[in-house]
Amino acid sequence: MKNLGEAGPFRGRAMGLAAVAAASALALGGCTIAVPAPRPTATVQPTPTATFAVPTIQAGHDAAAVAAKNMTFDAGRTLSPNVPVGFNDVLGQSADSTSGTALPPEWKLLKNNVAGQTQYSDAAGCKVAYWVTSNQGPLISSGDDLTSTQNLMKYLIPSVVPDALKDATLPWVAEAGKKGRGISVLSYTTKGSKGGMASRVWGRLLGTSGTGLVVTLACPTDAFLASTTPRVMAKLSVAPPAN
């Protein structure tokens, strides 16, 4: 499992999230999603009195039972406190042809956990990226993952209006490419235009685990975005934490 994002002061991590989002928006080729400009990391100072809980497995917590159910917004409370959640992908694996011979991978790896971001591209010009953040305290509405996720999306896309955020689902399975349950997320779509790519952002803030999850996909046209989305979801998943 690719579990990205290290613990650290919220402000530093929040600025890191903005930096990654900004880099992703630029890399996705004209995507109109706006993100806050990051401050230089040298100016970010940790708060001396800040303390963070050490990740622990809650006594009696049944991770297998949690993984076996859909991770709805309400179900976020069933996660073990402060145990991060990560992504798993098989985007770079070769595909098998109908004759049984191996075909070149559909997706080419561009970045592997660079500043917390992993990014791939395909021959059609689509780019997919994902990353994980932690210690997003000020964005978390305790016990309410839906509101927390709305806060995350508003942070990433300050101009977004609530009605533009749509309910969506990402795979919730330990091994990408396998059948399993789903995790509820919010998505935001930007239509393609002359000189701009069609794009979609998926986000979820898991308040109990203290994990923010973000996926972005951009393609040259709306049609490519629509046809590529299910192919990405077939090879990318959010992996439930294990005991």
Side-chain angles (χ1 to χ4, degrees):
M1 182 180 72
K2 296 182 181 179
N3 190 7
L4 313 179
E6 300 294 335
F10 166 73
R11 175 54 60 185
R13 176 55 63 191
M15 289 299 100
L17 172 58
V20 172
S24 179
L26 291 174
L28 294 179
C31 175
T32 59
I33 295 169
V35 295
R39 297 177 183 175
T41 56
T43 65
V44 178
Q45 298 296 328
T47 305
T49 58
T51 58
F52 302 98
V54 176
T56 57
I57 299 296
Q58 188 177 17
H61 179 72
D62 189 343
V66 173
K69 297 180 180 180
N70 291 328
M71 181 48 56
T72 63
F73 288 112
D74 288 340
R77 296 188 291 267
T78 65
L79 291 165
S80 195
N82 303 314
V83 175
V85 177
F87 285 100
N88 184 276
D89 83 69
V90 290
L91 290 162
Q93 286 189 2
S94 299
D96 292 330
S97 69
T98 54
S99 64
T101 58
L103 298 174
E106 179 183 4
W107 293 92
K108 177 183 178 182
L109 182 64
L110 301 179
K111 296 179 181 179
N112 185 17
N113 194 13
V114 176
Q117 183 192 80
T118 297
Q119 186 182 101
Y120 291 86
S121 68
D122 71 0
C126 294
K127 291 184 180 179
V128 60
Y130 64 82
W131 63 96
V132 177
T133 65
S134 59
N135 297 313
Q136 300 291 275
L139 298 180
I140 293 173
S141 180
S142 181
D144 186 351
D145 273 9
L146 177 57
T147 298
S148 299
T149 300
Q150 291 170 339
N151 294 339
L152 173 64
M153 297 297 280
K154 180 67 176 178
Y155 181 85
L156 286 170
I157 315 164
S159 62
V160 73
V161 295
D163 288 346
L165 298 175
K166 305 301 180 182
D167 292 332
T169 303
L170 297 179
W172 173 248
V173 59
E175 187 178 351
K178 302 295 184 181
K179 292 187 179 299
R181 298 295 183 172
I183 177 172
S184 297
V185 299
L186 292 178
S187 70
Y188 177 74
T189 301
T190 301
K191 288 187 174 296
S193 60
K194 186 176 181 179
M197 299 180 79
S199 64
R200 186 166 295 150
V201 178
W202 295 266
R204 172 71 183 264
L205 186 48
L206 297 160
T208 300
S209 73
T211 304
L213 304 166
V214 182
V215 180
T216 63
L217 174 64
C219 291
T221 66
D222 296 333
F224 271 128
L225 180 66
S227 63
T228 303
T229 295
R231 299 206 311 272
V232 169
M233 297 309 160
K235 295 188 174 184
L236 175 67
S237 72
V238 179
N243 282 333

